[in-house]
Amino acid sequence: MSIENTDMKSFIAISDIISLLNMSSGFLSIICSINNNFELAAILMIIAIMFDSVDGWVARKTNRQDDLGFGKNIDSLSDVISFGAAPAIFLYTCINTTPSIFEIAVMLVSLLIVICGVLRLTRYNVIAGKIDTDDFIGLPIPCISFIMATLYLSGLFHPILALILAIAVSLLMISNIRYPKFDNIPIIGLSCILILILILPININIFNINPAGLLLLLFCLYYLIINLIKR
Amino acid sequence: MSIENTDMKSFIAISDIISLLNMSSGFLSIICSINNNFELAAILMIIAIMFDSVDGWVARKTNRQDDLGFGKNIDSLSDVISFGAAPAIFLYTCINTTPSIFEIAVMLVSLLIVICGVLRLTRYNVIAGKIDTDDFIGLPIPCISFIMATLYLSGLFHPILALILAIAVSLLMISNIRYPKFDNIPIIGLSCILILILILPININIFNINPAGLLLLLFCLYYLIINLIKR
């Protein structure tokens, strides 16, 4: 390869811009967490998951040539911001508004999220295409953002519950447990409708609980637990 | 590859732990920035650079086998936290203590740092070993952390200066300009001594300027500018 061919423009495709939109949503979620705007931070984490779930599809639809692995690399580097740093900072800043919780413990759990996220992504990158199963090995990394966001938006956020879930999800990410790909079309369709209800400015709360957020949280926890038991 | 071989322990080597220490320093720098402890945040960014500069050396010394690219992947995913998210959040939080600056502009420059960081790392991953030069293509990504940290620790931090430097460094990272590898042993030795003086709790200030921080900042700016002119 000659140096003239290393011009950035020659690498970037539409699907890579979508990966960057995933990363930008994750980064802006961090900024919102810092400014104590946790509702918007949670919504931005969910938007990041939506961008992440379409970049691969767009790459296939646009017949993206990716012999060098630029698309795979930019996807993975974007994920570590959106599903590593963003949920970790969300947890840290959100709990720190409650002064009774021991700050060092919260910081260590936040750090655990990022460490397990980096390890999960690294292992995925090195085993993808080399392993004889279609399942994910270890809980997929967007689950940590999804659980933190739906826990907050459902109205059920409690520091201790959030910390326990964060530790459990982080350890499941780096575990060897097989998680099947989501292919249940009715559940995917229903989830998309619930996500729209959750992120649009429609306020449907029953006894301070948002039913759309609660249902999405329960879907994710069911997926997490049922495959843990099946093991 | 069988599923039994995907156990996380089977992948991790000592050099990967050093990459995780780099990432952890970067993440803790973000936490310090959030808590407005900018001095410690800057020192942690420099510590992250130190870990980053030894992980490859340790991998070679320990004869690390890395056919699958686990070490290369974990290094790159750690760098995006330490040299993408950390300096961006540092800039954002540090300037936001000065209310006169337009917040949206600061947020966009912070986002630019992360976008250019992700693009720089992605291009590096896909061209490494395939290009006929030993030089870096585009300014190396740790420079953004190094410049932000030394600018702050030297005592010269000013919001407008920091924003201009951040934009310039970000664009140089994704440029096609060749930057040679640092191999000037006297300069490397002197820099190590200056870094030690800077990060140890020794307070040597002359007219509110820290000479070690200033010298390191000037070294980095010289490297940035001289190669830009040579182009």
Side-chain angles (χ1 to χ4, degrees), chain B residues 76-93:
Chain B
S76 170
L77 289 166
S78 300
D79 287 356
V80 78
I81 298 287
S82 296
F83 313 133
I89 297 296
F90 180 83
L91 182 83
Y92 177 79
T93 50

Side-chain angles (χ1 to χ4, degrees), chain A residues 16 19 22 51-52 55-56 69-80 83 121 124, chain B residues 77 118 122:
Chain A
D16 303 331
S19 296
N22 154 18
F51 281 125
D52 184 53
D55 58 3
F70 192 89
K72 191 185 141 209
N73 268 282
I74 203 169
D75 186 29
S76 169
L77 289 165
S78 299
D79 287 357
V80 78
F83 313 132
L121 284 166
Y124 176 81
Chain B
L77 289 166
V118 166
T122 306

Side-chain angles (χ1 to χ4, degrees), chain B residues 33 77 85 88 91 109 175 195 201:
Chain B
S33 292
L77 289 166
L91 182 83
V109 176
S175 74
I195 287 174

Side-chain angles (χ1 to χ4, degrees), chain B residues 54-100:
Chain B
V54 294
D55 58 4
W57 180 83
V58 171
R60 284 188 296 278
K61 286 288 163 191
T62 53
N63 286 321
R64 201 229 151 134
Q65 302 297 314
D66 196 24
D67 304 333
L68 289 169
F70 193 89
K72 191 185 139 208
N73 268 283
I74 203 168
D75 186 29
S76 170
L77 289 166
S78 300
D79 287 356
V80 78
I81 298 287
S82 296
F83 313 133
I89 297 296
F90 180 83
L91 182 83
Y92 177 79
T93 50
C94 206
I95 295 188
N96 269 7
T97 56
T98 315
S100 59

Side-chain angles (χ1 to χ4, degrees), chain A residues 122-175:
Chain A
T122 306
R123 181 176 60 181
Y124 176 81
N125 288 348
V126 301
I127 66 174
K130 294 188 191 75
I131 189 150
D132 45 6
T133 174
D134 280 339
D135 295 348
F136 297 113
I137 306 296
L139 193 64
I141 185 170
C143 287
I144 183 74
S145 284
F146 196 77
I147 287 180
M148 287 298 125
T150 52
L151 184 66
Y152 187 85
L153 295 171
S154 67
L156 288 172
F157 192 91
H158 181 280
I160 300 294
L161 177 63
L163 285 173
I164 292 170
L165 277 175
I167 295 170
V169 171
S170 299
L171 297 179
L172 285 172
M173 288 198 303
I174 58 164
S175 75

Side-chain angles (χ1 to χ4, degrees), chain A residues 33 35 40 51 56 75 95 110 134 174 187 195 226:
Chain A
S33 292
N35 293 326
L40 189 52
F51 281 125
D75 186 29
I95 295 189
S110 305
D134 280 339
I174 58 164
I187 295 276
I195 287 173
I226 197 76

Side-chain angles (χ1 to χ4, degrees), chain A residues 93-114:
Chain A
T93 49
C94 206
I95 295 189
N96 269 6
T97 57
T98 314
S100 59
I101 305 284
F102 191 42
E103 199 193 331
I104 301 286
V106 182
M107 196 175 73
L108 291 178
V109 176
S110 305
L111 182 58
L112 180 75
I113 294 176
V114 201

